[in-house]
Amino acid sequence: IADTHLRYHPQWPAVIVRQGIVLIDDSAVSVWADRANLFESTVERLSVETRVNAQNQITLDLEGTVNGPATDGLKILNESALVGIVGPAFADWTATGNLETDLRIQMNLSDKSVAPAVNVATRWYDVDLQIVPGNLSVQAVNGEFDYSTSLGFSSTGLVGELWGRAVSASLEQSQRVEGEKYDPATSVLDVKLASQLDMADVSRWLQLEPLAFVSGQTTAEAGIRLARGEPPLLTVNSELHGVSIDLPP
């Protein structure tokens, strides 16, 4: 096949196979392609397989490596079946830069009550992020950011720049009750940023009049907590070492 739209599930975006092979053997269907496209990204080593399991149910297994703009990574989170799992956590985020993604999806096509198993491993290369809520603009993000339906979100070595200064970032998934397994309905996602800040930048960001009396530089941590059914919670913590407050007489 060549230049073919492959729709494998109504809740997932179609893949355009530039050149590939389709093998049909009774209920087993295999699609292989070295060149394909997902949104604006290039898909390499694409494999889509359907099989019949021991319960006589048809299962689907999709794997591939996706290279392209970071906006496509957000589209996968916000415009696929994942939106029912992650909710609106990333709905208002924007991104520019390059992203490399390893994607694997396993679904039971015979029994819709069985939730899909999804594993998304992403590698970020000089990505600029606009984080909303919080209105934080983080530039030159590099590192790894993963999602799986068994563990939720996680990150490794995420670094970038906030207001021209180095910043470290992390994503941590946790349950409301310690020790419980990951459940997207009750799980909490914490996005954490740590950096050295200039209080002039903080004043412009928060637009709070009392900060006009504050000057200097200090270390600080910002956090955005995302929980289903609750408004996002923004917190900023600092011991304010290195900060001066010029109070009026």
Side-chain angles (χ1 to χ4, degrees):
I1 59 174
D3 297 328
T4 301
H5 281 72
L6 175 64
R7 296 195 60 84
Y8 51 94
H9 192 275
Q11 292 182 302
W12 289 88
V15 174
I16 301 176
V17 178
R18 295 305 179 189
Q19 187 174 4
I21 295 174
V22 176
L23 171 65
I24 301 174
D25 182 5
D26 291 334
S27 58
V29 179
S30 299
V31 179
W32 302 296
D34 290 329
R35 291 193 306 120
N37 292 103
L38 175 66
F39 296 130
E40 300 300 318
S41 299
T42 300
V43 183
E44 301 173 352
R45 300 182 297 278
L46 173 67
S47 169
V48 184
E49 308 271 351
T50 65
R51 302 180 181 89
V52 177
N53 63 17
Q55 291 74 40
N56 204 35
Q57 298 172 326
I58 299 177
T59 62
L60 180 144
D61 194 330
L62 180 145
E63 291 186 66
T65 298
V66 185
N67 294 285
T71 51
D72 284 356
L74 292 178
K75 281 185 177 181
I76 291 176
L77 288 174
N78 295 321
E79 298 181 18
S80 71
L82 280 179
V83 75
I85 300 172
V86 305
F90 302 96
D92 296 320
W93 289 35
T94 58
T96 59
N98 297 314
L99 185 66
E100 184 179 279
T101 303
D102 294 329
L103 177 64
R104 183 174 187 183
I105 304 170
Q106 296 171 294
M107 291 183 287
N108 187 319
L109 301 182
S110 298
D111 186 354
K112 293 183 179 180
S113 66
V114 178
V118 179
N119 288 277
V120 182
T122 66
R123 291 167 291 281
W124 301 62
Y125 300 102
D126 293 325
V127 173
D128 293 344
L129 277 177
Q130 186 69 30
I131 300 175
V132 179
N135 194 29
L136 287 171
S137 181
V138 184
Q139 285 83 37
V141 176
N142 289 270
E144 299 179 7
F145 165 33
D146 302 338
Y147 174 79
S148 77
T149 46
S150 58
L151 299 174
F153 290 95
S154 62
S155 64
T156 303
L158 275 180
V159 295
E161 294 181 2
L162 176 64
W163 300 322
R165 298 176 182 271
V167 59
S168 61
S170 66
L171 290 90
E172 299 178 4
Q173 197 85 57
S174 60
Q175 291 297 124
R176 297 179 188 274
V177 178
E178 188 175 352
E180 286 187 346
K181 292 184 178 181
Y182 169 67
D183 181 350
T186 58
S187 184
V188 174
L189 175 63
D190 287 303
V191 181
K192 297 182 179 180
L193 305 171
S195 179
Q196 177 86 12
L197 301 179
D198 190 306
M199 295 307 296
D201 293 323
V202 177
S203 179
R204 284 190 291 268
W205 173 47
L206 295 178
Q207 296 292 305
L208 296 175
E209 290 185 7
L211 290 179
F213 302 107
V214 180
S215 62
Q217 299 177 3
T218 188
T219 57
E221 295 180 351
I224 302 172
R225 170 159 286 198
L226 302 167
R228 178 168 292 188
E230 299 179 9
L233 175 64
L234 171 67
T235 58
V236 179
N237 295 310
S238 175
E239 295 185 356
L240 295 179
H241 292 306
V243 172
S244 299
I245 303 178
D246 184 17
L247 294 174

